[in-house]
Amino acid sequence: MLKLIVRRILLALPTLIILSMIIFGLQRLLPGDPIQTMMAEESDPQVVEFLREKYRLNDPIPLQYLAWVGNVLQGDFGSSLRTGLPVTQMILQKLPITVQLASMAMIMALLIGIPAGVIAAVRKNTMVDYAANAVALSGMSVPNFWLGIILIMVFAVSWKILPASGYVPITLDFWLSIKSMLMPGFVLSTAVAAYLMRHTRSAMLSVLSSDYIRTARAKGLLSNAVIIRHALRNALMPIVTLSTLLFGDLLAGAVLTEQIFVIPGFGKLIVDAVFTRDYAVVQGVVLFTAIGFIAMNILADVLYIVINPRLRHPQ
């Protein structure tokens, strides 16, 4: 197991290096000067030059990249041009918020997607199956911003049962924090639930046609016992690893949802940083998100081996 993890990390290193180059290079292609943006109209040429030297913006881009990478390897993602705060500190402040939102979305997706996939597989080629597939297709097709606005109009404006926007720390008020995350969590979960439903249905159909399932039914086992204890247990193996990868997608893809519901997580942080040309924050957040996504991929590989004993001792 340890060899697998080390091998996956070594394979991920070239990806991170190339990704860091892309992040750093594309950021420099953005129009506008970050110092001028930061100082707005009141710009003293001497102060501008001082800040450009301080943040090494006058250095050639390759030297800027090498300096940034050297600092990152020491755990220093730099400081924000706008606030002066360390990027690492800003990331650690926003990370729990995005993790809470992604976790809420993942729980909802699992509670919706897996049961729907099982029911659709068991009722194959019936109206239930067709309806489940239609809902799944809708979940993958409906834009998050439209669904978010509709939910706000219904549950916050008309019915007044959920807060329209904002975030309450879970340590401050547990239930209010959960309520504030219900709508954004559902919006973020729709596409994930649709993917889980379709993959669960496919895996269940494959398992239900297996010989050992026919044998279990021939022995007179109850239909529910065959479906839950035998079919679902084996069908869940690829679903577990898929869920890990989808959770990585949720962490990286919450930008629009956080903007709609005014949640101060990674999404708002990176959008504000892009508009203010805050190089260090954009580079730090994107690189940190990429590292997290790669970590989720490694975890998915490990989980697949843990839940599938046949892969532990390859022939």
Side-chain angles (χ1 to χ4, degrees), residues 298-310:
I298 295 174
L299 179 60
D301 292 337
V302 172
L303 285 177
Y304 195 73
I305 291 177
V306 168
I307 62 180
N308 191 346
R310 291 174 296 180

Side-chain angles (χ1 to χ4, degrees), residues 26 35 47 75 97 114 132 145 153 185 230-231 244 260 265 269 306 311:
L26 290 179
I35 302 299
V47 176
I97 301 173
I114 292 179
F145 69 87
M153 291 176 60
H230 296 276
T244 308
I260 295 171
L269 179 63
V306 168
L311 298 178

Side-chain angles (χ1 to χ4, degrees), residues 166-180:
Y167 169 74
V168 177
I170 198 167
T171 54
L172 186 63
D173 190 323
F174 178 81
W175 291 113
L176 186 56
S177 178
I178 297 298
K179 288 177 65 176
S180 68

Side-chain angles (χ1 to χ4, degrees), residues 2 10 48 61 93 106 108 117 142 153 156 174 190 198 211 217 248 272 277 290 295 298 303 305-306:
L2 181 60
L10 292 176
V48 171
I61 291 180
Q93 288 176 346
M106 195 72 232
M108 290 183 176
V142 173
M153 291 176 60
F174 178 81
T190 51
R198 294 180 67 86
D211 292 337
R217 284 173 170 166
D272 292 344
R277 307 296 185 270
I298 295 174
L303 285 177
I305 291 177
V306 168

Side-chain angles (χ1 to χ4, degrees), residues 51-303:
L51 291 174
R52 292 189 66 84
E53 289 292 336
K54 178 182 177 181
Y55 292 105
R56 308 189 64 167
L57 296 176
N58 289 331
D59 292 348
I61 291 180
L63 291 181
Q64 293 182 41
Y65 170 75
L66 291 176
W68 175 64
V69 170
N71 291 332
V72 168
L73 292 176
Q74 299 176 41
D76 180 11
F77 285 85
S79 299
S80 169
L81 293 173
R82 183 165 54 96
T83 64
L85 294 174
V87 174
T88 305
Q89 178 183 335
M90 298 174 71
I91 289 175
L92 293 179
Q93 288 176 346
K94 304 299 183 182
L95 180 61
I97 301 173
T98 299
V99 169
Q100 182 183 345
L101 174 59
S103 300
M104 177 72 76
M106 195 72 232
I107 292 171
M108 290 183 176
L110 291 171
L111 292 177
I112 297 171
I114 292 179
V118 172
I119 294 172
V122 173
R123 302 290 185 88
K124 180 184 176 182
N125 294 332
T126 65
M127 289 301 298
V128 174
D129 185 21
Y130 298 145
N133 278 284
V135 172
L137 184 60
S138 300
M140 290 185 285
S141 305
V142 173
N144 282 1
F145 69 87
W146 181 85
L147 181 59
I149 293 171
I150 295 298
L151 291 180
I152 290 173
M153 291 176 60
V154 173
F155 292 99
V157 177
S158 298
W159 294 353
K160 302 184 187 309
I161 59 176
L162 291 175
S165 61
Y167 169 74
V168 177
I170 198 167
T171 54
L172 186 63
D173 190 323
F174 178 81
W175 291 113
L176 186 56
S177 178
I178 297 298
K179 288 177 65 176
S180 68
M181 285 291 183
L182 283 176
M183 282 197 294
F186 180 78
V187 169
L188 200 59
S189 72
T190 51
V192 177
Y195 283 117
L196 286 174
M197 177 268 161
R198 294 180 67 86
H199 280 80
T200 302
R201 178 183 181 276
S202 177
M204 282 292 295
L205 288 175
S206 177
V207 172
L208 288 173
S209 63
S210 301
D211 292 337
Y212 70 92
I213 295 295
R214 286 193 289 267
T215 302
R217 284 173 170 166
K219 289 181 178 180
L221 293 179
L222 295 177
S223 179
N224 289 340
V226 173
I227 293 170
I228 297 174
R229 294 173 56 184
H230 296 276
L232 182 58
R233 179 181 298 179
N234 288 279
L236 282 180
M237 286 195 296
I239 303 302
V240 170
T241 54
L242 175 65
S243 300
T244 308
L245 297 177
L246 291 174
F247 185 74
D249 284 339
L250 289 175
L251 289 175
V255 175
L256 187 58
T257 302
E258 289 184 358
Q259 284 294 108
I260 295 171
F261 292 95
V262 198
I263 297 175
F266 267 11
K268 193 173 189 317
L269 179 63
I270 195 170
V271 169
D272 292 344
V274 169
F275 279 118
T276 57
R277 307 296 185 270
D278 202 340
Y279 288 169
V281 175
V282 175
Q283 292 163 184
V285 172
V286 175
L287 184 62
F288 195 89
T289 304
I291 293 172
F293 188 79
I294 290 174
M296 289 294 103
N297 276 266
I298 295 174
L299 179 60
D301 292 337
V302 172
L303 285 177

